Amino acid sequence: EVQLTDSGGGLVQAGGSLTLSCATSGLNFGAAAMGWFRQTPDKEREGVACISWNGESMKYGDSVNGRFTISRDLAKKTAYLKMNSLEAEDTAIYYCAARHAGACFEPLSRSDFRYWGQGTQVTVSS
């Protein structure tokens, strides 16, 4: 059984930073693309970032490009999302996601991902 456990959310002031983690089990991590999405009550789930199976290709949503960095650690079977220069508009529940096919496509679409974490809340105070 594939399980994704995302963590690292919390309350941070605008301009601050947070790093989210997505620990995986039961997944062929070395062959999977990993993604991060976020959602607020009044919006559709939005693609934030994706990293390809070998870590050589990253894609970002327009609203976070240049501020967020996605990475992965094969030995730990874990993906990360480093978020800098956080803004109040970044407040959301963040979900990690995985897909067996190892590439990332644009635009980032939730329908491309099969497995999901339970979500971690990020709140940015202005």
Side-chain angles (χ1 to χ4, degrees):
E1 180 186 5
V2 174
Q3 290 190 325
L4 307 182
T5 304
D6 34 33
S7 61
L11 175 63
V12 63
Q13 288 189 330
S17 298
L18 276 178
T19 298
L20 306 183
S21 299
C22 176
T24 72
S25 63
L27 178 71
N28 185 1
F29 185 80
M34 301 297 298
W36 287 95
F37 289 74
R38 66 186 183 186
Q39 190 166 19
T40 58
D42 59 340
K43 290 184 179 180
E44 294 288 323
R45 193 167 294 191
E46 175 190 14
V48 174
C50 177
I51 186 167
S52 64
W53 66 278
N54 58 2
E56 293 185 357
S57 176
M58 284 80 79
K59 306 292 185 186
Y60 296 94
D62 290 340
S63 60
V64 307
N65 200 9
R67 299 187 297 122
F68 291 9
T69 303
I70 190 171
S71 62
R72 61 192 295 152
D73 185 324
L74 179 60
K76 295 182 178 180
K77 298 185 178 181
T78 299
Y80 303 94
L81 184 70
K82 177 68 183 293
M83 306 184 292
N84 294 326
S85 303
L86 282 163
E87 304 166 353
E89 292 73 23
D90 295 318
T91 296
I93 299 176
Y94 284 71
Y95 298 89
C96 70
R99 51 178 288 167
H100 288 307
C104 294
F105 302 108
E106 290 182 306
L108 301 174
S109 172
R110 64 181 296 182
S111 63
D112 289 337
F113 290 83
R114 179 173 181 179
Y115 304 105
W116 294 86
Q118 80 284 2
T120 184
Q121 175 72 48
V122 172
T123 303
V124 183
S125 63
S126 56

